[in-house]
Amino acid sequence: MMYNLAIIGGGPAGYTAAQMAQNAGWKVVLFEGDTLGGTCLNVGCIPTKTLLYSVKQYHNAMLANKYGISVENIAFDLKKMQQRKQKVVRKLVAGIKASLKDCTIVGAIAKVVSRTDDKVVLEAEGEQYEAEKLLICTGSNNFVPPIEGISDNPFVLDSTSALNLQEIPQSMVIVGGGVIGMEFATLFGQLGTKITIVEAMQDILPQLDQDVVDLLKEKYVKQGIEILTNTKVERIDRNIVFTNNEQKPQIDAEKILVCVGRRANLRGLEALEDIELERGAIKVNDFMQTNLKNVYAAGDVTGKIMLAHVASRQAEVAVGRMLKHIPLQRIAYNAIPSVVYTNPEIASVGLTEKQVSDFYKEMEGIDAYEQKGGGEAFYEVKSLPMSFSGRFVAENEGENGLCKVIVDKRNQTILGVHAVGNPASEFIAVASFAVRMGYTISEFKQVVFPHPTVSEILRETIMAI
Ligand code: NAD
């Protein structure tokens, strides 16, 4: 049978594309060599957030006294937490499977055999499949840096093995203070593990706005998490990490978690030898088309922004283009929200203050930028403490947080929103909408927010501009 579309990979990009194409009446074959749902659902976003929620409940129980509740004998049961995590994952995987009822699902690794402009031939477990178009959604793998002593070391974990630990280690060195590193520091740190974060750059979470990072860092350092920045790992010997940090040249820990980024997974695509790559990932245009006429790619394999919600949006754009229903839709990469599930959470969308100031410095030239009065001439920044929201104060005893909004002075549009405090993840979508639609602050001010909600902090901050 000739399929209209073959999809390799059943993660958020692959299953979203398959749902959309099958609903349009296309004959679709989807190959998944592991479990439907991909990294996000099986070994990423969902299991991490499930465990983090258990940890938050434990943490809240310990703080219950602050809210007038006495709780005795507080303890956690990692085995039960792990069982619940598996149950959540199973339920969501089953939901995806059910949603793909009109699609052929092949539970095996697919390999491209050949391609012409109107046909792609694939092979999985000895069977051949033909399709008019191919969508590559093969995702990414943990990057293992070339550090001596890292490979085949039983003390070294990646995010997948860290998620499956059956005992809480007493101590852990986390190599890489990015999103994964900080989320695992939260998970294990709040269960009592002594955490040391080793970050090569001058700060943790280097892609985020400095003000929100500073607030989180202050809190984590107070909790006893050690953060070593500008520090590189030189080698690892069993459970000892050797660094270039003169104050801390060696750190020993029960476990070493390495999370220094992910790389596109190109396995099975060897026959597409003419496919254009960019920094090791598949190069795509705004419609997720590769340089090969009938081959598209979506998700982490494109190396754009490695987030599940970007992957699913990319898949929608790709299939929209193939179906010619919505051929001109592109992704607004400037309005992609991101959340770091630390406690408190960090949520942001749009540009950071540094990115805005770098943009204007480059556009104007550094001398003209300074002569015109520096950043203040081009953009306005307003930050309010989260305690300006009554609901935040009611629910976050003794906690602080921040909401920061950056506005372009030329046209009064919102360039970026950055928040730290619980539950920032739940209101960042409103800010994404404003950034995506290019709303001015006077337009935004006409929107009524429900009271009392933590989301009101966003309105309060914008009202103060
Ligand atoms: P990352 O790029 O977010 O962070 C990696 C960090 O490691 C960086 O800060 C980098 O400077 C540092 N680093 C690199 N080499 C180093 C070295 N040799 N020694 C010390 N530090 C080093 O990558 P990640 O945390 O591994 O996450 C991978 C991907 O998964 C990212 O794209 C991330 O956005 C995504 N992810 C997202 C979420 C979320 O949205 N909540 C959660 C988990 C993962």
Side-chain angles (χ1 to χ4, degrees):
M1 165 163 53
M2 174 69 112
Y3 289 94
N4 299 112
L5 174 63
I7 301 171
I8 313 182
Y15 70 72
T16 303
Q19 286 161 351
M20 195 170 157
Q22 75 167 19
N23 294 346
W26 271 24
K27 281 180 273 173
V28 180
V29 57
L30 182 146
F31 301 89
E32 172 50 64
D34 200 330
T35 313
L36 274 179
T39 300
C40 168
L41 189 38
N42 294 287
V43 289
C45 328
I46 297 297
T48 335
K49 267 82 254 180
T50 309
L51 288 181
L52 277 167
Y53 189 72
S54 291
V55 172
K56 196 183 264 182
Q57 297 296 81
Y58 172 66
H59 190 68
N60 286 346
M62 292 206 287
L63 300 178
N65 208 16
K66 292 209 275 184
Y67 299 87
I69 313 284
S70 302
V71 187
E72 284 173 11
N73 302 324
I74 305 162
F76 63 85
D77 183 334
L78 185 60
K79 200 168 159 209
K80 278 194 185 155
M81 282 161 57
Q82 292 286 18
Q83 282 166 352
R84 178 170 177 271
K85 179 194 84 178
Q86 287 313 120
K87 196 176 80 183
V88 169
V89 169
R90 269 199 309 273
K91 183 174 174 172
L92 295 174
V93 171
I96 289 172
K97 207 169 183 178
S99 75
L100 295 175
K101 58 183 182 339
D102 296 327
C103 178
T104 304
I105 299 172
V106 179
I109 301 224
K111 193 174 94 175
V112 178
V113 176
S114 64
R115 186 205 77 89
T116 58
D117 278 356
D118 43 28
K119 190 169 85 177
V120 182
V121 181
L122 298 112
E123 189 183 278
E125 284 187 331
E127 292 262 333
Q128 291 219 335
Y129 300 82
E130 293 180 353
E132 290 160 9
K133 292 183 175 20
L134 171 66
L135 177 63
I136 302 167
C137 306
T138 45
S140 60
N141 296 317
N142 284 318
F143 172 61
V144 182
I147 295 173
E148 186 189 326
I150 208 169
S151 300
D152 298 323
N153 181 337
F155 297 96
V156 173
L157 306 170
D158 61 14
S159 59
T160 306
S161 47
L163 264 179
N164 290 326
L165 282 180
Q166 299 301 317
E167 277 174 31
I168 297 301
Q170 296 218 320
S171 55
M172 181 182 275
V173 173
I174 298 181
V175 182
V179 185
I180 295 185
M182 294 314 295
E183 292 188 355
F184 276 101
T186 309
L187 209 167
F188 292 111
Q190 296 201 328
L191 293 179
T193 303
K194 164 86 186 86
I195 304 280
T196 305
I197 296 167
V198 177
E199 167 58 52
M201 304 284 278
Q202 66 184 30
D203 216 335
I204 54 165
L205 298 168
Q207 76 282 25
L208 295 186
D209 194 89
Q210 195 62 48
D211 289 348
V212 295
V213 173
D214 286 347
L215 205 140
L216 182 84
K217 211 167 53 179
E218 192 187 308
K219 194 172 162 66
Y220 273 29
V221 169
K222 256 190 215 155
Q223 285 175 10
I225 291 180
E226 188 174 19
I227 301 176
L228 305 175
T229 51
N230 288 315
T231 301
K232 284 211 170 100
V233 174
E234 294 190 322
R235 67 188 171 91
I236 299 174
D237 185 2
R238 288 178 57 78
N239 65 331
I240 306 174
V241 175
F242 292 86
T243 77
N244 64 348
N245 186 317
E246 284 174 12
Q247 270 81 48
K248 275 272 172 167
Q250 70 181 72
I251 318 155
D252 60 321
E254 199 179 317
K255 292 285 176 199
I256 301 160
L257 168 62
V258 178
C259 37
V260 294
R262 298 179 64 86
R263 293 291 179 273
N265 172 24
L266 303 175
R267 183 177 173 194
L269 308 176
E270 295 76 9
L272 299 176
E273 50 194 23
D274 296 334
I275 199 162
E276 214 177 315
L277 301 181
E278 194 171 46
R279 279 176 278 118
I282 296 180
K283 189 176 176 189
V284 284
N285 66 10
D286 284 354
F287 306 110
M288 314 317 296
Q289 294 169 298
T290 70
N291 62 315
L292 306 178
K293 189 170 173 271
N294 51 348
V295 180
Y296 293 66
D300 284 9
V301 75
T302 66
K304 295 263 181 200
I305 305 177
M306 289 192 179
L307 294 173
H309 43 283
V310 173
S312 42
R313 180 68 193 133
Q314 287 179 329
E316 288 168 2
V317 169
V319 179
R321 182 69 181 76
M322 291 179 209
L323 292 169
K324 303 190 177 101
H325 286 176
I326 32 178
L328 290 178
Q329 276 204 15
R330 293 158 205 253
I331 304 169
Y333 284 110
N334 67 322
I336 302 290
S338 74
V339 176
V340 190
Y341 292 86
T342 42
N343 188 11
E345 299 168 349
I346 293 180
S348 51
V349 65
L351 300 175
T352 63
E353 186 174 350
K354 182 170 184 316
Q355 286 169 332
V356 175
S357 106
D358 286 350
F359 169 79
Y360 274 113
K361 279 179 193 161
E362 198 201 323
M363 196 173 82
E364 294 288 319
I366 190 76
D367 292 341
Y369 178 85
E370 297 299 348
Q371 274 162 20
K372 287 182 181 172
E376 280 178 27
F378 302 98
Y379 59 90
E380 187 164 352
V381 178
K382 189 80 210 170
S383 296
L384 285 187
M386 281 282 186
S387 54
F388 275 47
S389 149
R391 176 81 178 272
F392 180 85
V393 176
E395 296 184 354
N396 293 273
E397 180 64 38
E399 294 294 333
N400 55 3
L402 180 82
C403 180
K404 172 171 175 176
V405 177
I406 307 162
V407 171
D408 196 326
K409 278 201 167 166
R410 290 174 309 177
N411 54 14
Q412 298 295 299
T413 54
I414 300 164
L415 295 174
V417 174
H418 309 275
V420 53
N422 291 332
S425 60
E426 290 301 336
F427 65 80
I428 202 65
V430 183
S432 306
F433 194 72
V435 174
R436 170 70 183 86
M437 304 311 286
Y439 286 152
T440 62
I441 49 168
S442 60
E443 283 167 329
F444 194 90
K445 283 176 181 176
Q446 295 169 46
V447 180
V448 178
F449 280 59
H451 176 76
T453 57
V454 179
S455 70
E456 285 173 292
I457 190 62
L458 180 56
R459 189 165 194 276
E460 289 294 324
T461 311
I462 289 178
M463 291 304 280
I465 294 175

